[in-house]
């Protein structure tokens, strides 16, 4: 009986996902030592000393900016995520955020909270107070969407159904994402173009060097007076100081965000939520199940689906003896791998090799057991980052 896989869990991960890792072959929990894999949501792994035995990381969500992806790539460790699994939850909260801003729901609720329930003139006070909260309708307004991936495209679709005009910007859009966009979405030339034209601007980009402070003092100066900025992306995508200044100048009407940083807390025109975008039972379950399944397929068979730093590679088992190799995407790796195997008298039954950027990944099924000395020889090949032997009982 092989040793069970050990999975360290850093956040509250849906039980439905954890159940996909059966207890006869997996030890899963928050106290697991010497893990083979780590499952998490938003925990910051940058400062963590990631144990050498970690072979995979599973992010039960979309953004991976809390994980040292480049360092994991250098170790040949895939970082999995769950594309689209929480997109509907975020879309619904963005719609709620737009409505909260357009209809002044936060101050209206505060007004009601302060009413005296025992007052004889309660009804009169309600009717007298409501004029302060008159708002606008969404239909007919222009929504600018920056980032047209899984979330951005769902927001576009919902906004069009609500009668809004939609303008989108995404310089990195994939062909698949472009196909899933409603035909009515107009293409913007850039962030400035979106800010100049939209009454509502919503951000759905990952936090990268290129997107840090994507919305800043310079481009906020172009915003339409009273525009609403929504940030369900990441705190670092928006320069909070610039937003506060724009709100105080009344250039921006509202800032709705999912990241209540200390600078923006308690501003009267900020609606800040506690990173709730993906916090629905459905999204938590979808993400956990998707990532746990991907992690299991990788740990047991070496197959890779939805890793942010590896190509998708999957091969049906054609033999009980499989070797999985992560290597730099440089010439002659396959030649050296097959030579090392041939020298050990191993016959390659099937092999698949794919690359993505600097990373390549190879699965090899051979006809007979692979000795430790072959695995050691493969590890010694220059450019090989990680080697795993995955025999089946
Ligand atoms: N508030 C929350 O709870 C949640 C927040 N998020 C955040 O939302 C982000 C987006 O999520 P998804 O739509 O699922 O990811 P996605 O990967 O499907 O879409 C991201 C899109 O941003 C585009 N993009 C990249 N750089 C850009 C740039 N400079 N300008 C414009 N577009 C750019 C990409 O081409 C891609 O189409 C995540 O990376 C995460 O940071 C995601 C889920 C939940
Ligand atoms: O797990 C969460 O609640 C955060 C979700 C998120 O921010 C993401 O998926 O990028």
């Amino acid at each position: 009986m092989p040793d069970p896989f050990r999975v360290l869990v850093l956040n509250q991960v849906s039980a439905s996902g954890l159940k996909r890792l059966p207890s006869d072959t997996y030890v899963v929990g928050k106290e697991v030592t010497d893990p083979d894999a780590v499952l998490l949501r938003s925990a910051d792994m940058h400062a963590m000393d990631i144990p050498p035995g970690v072979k995979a990381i599973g992010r039960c969500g979309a953004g991976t900016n809390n994980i040292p992806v480049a360092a994991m790539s250098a170790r040949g460790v895939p970082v999995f995520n769950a594309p689209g699994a929480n997109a509907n939850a975020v879309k619904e909260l963005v719609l709620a955020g737009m409505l909260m801003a357009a209809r002044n729901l936060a101050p209206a609720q505060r007004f009601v909270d302060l009413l005296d329930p025992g007052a004889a003139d309660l009804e009169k006070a309600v009717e007298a107070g409501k004029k302060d909260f008159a708002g606008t309708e969404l239909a007919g307004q222009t929504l600018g969407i920056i980032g047209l991936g899984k979330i951005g495209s769902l927001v576009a679709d919902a906004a069009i159904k609500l009668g809004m005009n939609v303008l989108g910007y995404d310089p990195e859009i994939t062909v698949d994402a472009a196909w899933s966009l409603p035909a009515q979405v107009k293409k913007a030339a850039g962030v400035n173009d979106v800010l100049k034209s939209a009454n509502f601007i919503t951000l759905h980009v990952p936090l990268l060097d290129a997107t840090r402070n994507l919305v800043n003092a310079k481009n906020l100066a172009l915003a339409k007076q009273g525009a609403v900025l929504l940030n369900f992306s990441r705190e670092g995508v928006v320069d909070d100081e610039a937003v506060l200044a724009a709100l105080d100048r009344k250039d921006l009407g509202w800032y709705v965000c999912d990241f209540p940083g200390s600078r923006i807390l308690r501003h009267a025109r900020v609606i800040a939520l506690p990173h709730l975008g993906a916090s629905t039972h459905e999204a938590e379950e979808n993400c956990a199940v998707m990532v746990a399944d991907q992690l299991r397929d990788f740990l047991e068979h070496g197959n890779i689906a939805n890793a942010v730093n590896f190509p998708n590679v999957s091969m049906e088992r054609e033999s009980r003896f499989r070797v999985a190799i992560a290597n730099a995407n440089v010439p002659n790796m396959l030649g050296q791998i097959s030579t090392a195997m041939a020298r050990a008298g191993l016959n390659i039954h099937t092999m698949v090799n794919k690359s993505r950027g600097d990373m390549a990944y190879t699965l090899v099924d051979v006809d007979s057991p692979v000795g430790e000395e072959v695995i050691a020889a493969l590890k010694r090949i220059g450019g090989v980052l990680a080697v795993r032997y995955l025999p089946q009982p």
Side-chain angles (χ1 to χ4, degrees):
M1 178 93 173
D3 288 343
F5 292 108
R6 302 174 65 75
V7 180
L8 172 64
V9 183
L10 297 181
N11 292 105
Q12 195 59 41
V13 170
S14 163
S16 312
L18 299 181
K19 272 194 220 141
R20 311 290 275 216
L21 305 173
S23 58
D24 52 341
T25 38
Y26 286 82
V27 178
V28 181
K30 291 193 169 172
E31 309 299 332
V32 164
T33 52
D34 301 323
D36 296 294
V38 179
L39 264 184
L40 77 159
R41 286 170 60 180
S42 299
D44 187 355
M45 291 187 76
H46 286 285
M48 188 177 156
D49 205 3
I50 300 170
V54 167
K55 297 159 190 69
I57 295 178
R59 195 322 184 187
C60 304
T64 52
N65 57 297
N66 53 324
I67 299 165
V69 177
M72 291 302 98
S73 300
R75 278 163 62 164
V77 170
V79 176
F80 295 94
N81 73 349
N86 57 24
N88 190 62
V90 181
K91 172 201 83 182
E92 290 188 3
L93 204 60
V94 170
L95 296 179
M98 286 203 289
L99 288 166
M100 283 182 81
R103 303 298 290 271
N104 297 308
L105 296 184
Q109 181 66 61
R110 280 197 291 271
F111 162 74
V112 171
D113 286 345
L114 293 175
L115 289 172
D116 175 2
D121 63 347
L122 181 61
E123 202 180 320
K124 212 170 141 196
V126 167
E127 290 306 316
K130 75 178 189 186
K131 64 177 181 319
D132 293 336
F133 311 109
T136 54
E137 295 182 20
L138 298 182
Q141 307 263 355
T142 297
L143 171 66
I145 306 178
I146 300 177
L148 294 165
K150 298 289 186 193
I151 300 170
S153 63
L154 290 188
V155 172
D157 185 55
I160 283 163
K161 288 179 177 144
L162 288 169
M164 300 183 86
N165 306 308
V166 176
L167 189 63
Y169 173 64
D170 188 333
E172 313 279 339
I173 194 164
T174 62
V175 173
D176 278 350
W179 273 107
S180 66
L181 271 186
Q184 297 94 322
V185 176
K186 301 237 164 26
K187 188 177 167 199
V191 175
N192 288 0
D193 195 15
V194 173
L195 279 158
K196 271 187 219 161
S197 316
N199 311 99
F200 293 79
I201 302 116
T202 187
L203 307 171
H204 300 294
V205 297
L207 177 61
L208 311 165
D209 289 343
T211 59
R212 193 170 286 283
N213 288 339
L214 192 68
V215 175
N216 50 50
K218 212 165 159 196
N219 53 31
L220 275 173
L222 304 171
K224 279 185 132 178
Q225 190 148 34
V228 175
L229 176 65
L230 299 111
N231 177 10
F232 286 82
S233 178
R234 282 291 180 266
E235 186 175 5
V237 171
V238 169
D239 176 348
D240 279 353
E241 294 297 345
V243 165
L244 290 178
L247 289 169
D248 291 341
R249 289 195 308 269
K250 300 205 170 24
D251 285 354
L252 272 187
W254 285 100
Y255 180 46
V256 187
C257 77
D258 214 6
F259 312 100
S262 58
R263 285 171 297 182
I264 57 161
L265 274 189
R266 296 203 175 77
H267 190 287
R269 306 299 288 179
V270 171
I271 298 167
L273 303 170
H275 197 176
L276 278 186
S279 294
T280 64
H281 298 303
E282 296 86 344
E284 289 180 359
E285 186 169 321
N286 289 343
C287 288
V289 166
M290 192 180 205
V291 170
D293 285 352
Q294 289 165 182
L295 201 62
R296 188 173 171 193
D297 202 17
F298 174 75
L299 289 172
E300 295 178 20
H301 303 292
N303 293 328
I304 297 187
N306 296 327
V308 297
N309 54 345
F310 274 70
N312 283 343
V313 181
S314 180
M315 189 168 86
E316 284 295 315
R317 282 264 189 182
E318 296 212 5
S319 111
R320 287 166 46 217
F321 312 107
R322 171 168 288 189
V323 180
I325 303 155
N327 58 270
N329 184 18
V330 293
N332 198 28
M333 293 306 299
L334 281 186
Q336 293 184 80
I337 291 166
S338 40
T339 302
M341 289 186 156
R343 273 201 192 119
L346 291 167
N347 183 45
I348 294 179
H349 188 92
T350 339
M351 186 172 192
V352 61
N353 168 273
K354 287 197 181 162
S355 63
R356 173 176 172 184
D358 293 338
M359 184 65 74
Y361 188 68
T362 308
L363 289 176
V364 193
D365 281 1
V366 292
D367 287 334
S368 50
V370 181
E372 278 176 19
E373 68 293 347
V374 183
I375 301 300
L378 290 169
K379 285 182 179 169
R380 282 195 300 272
I381 297 173
V384 165
L385 305 169
V387 182
R388 294 171 62 222
Y389 179 40
L390 304 166
Q392 277 189 319

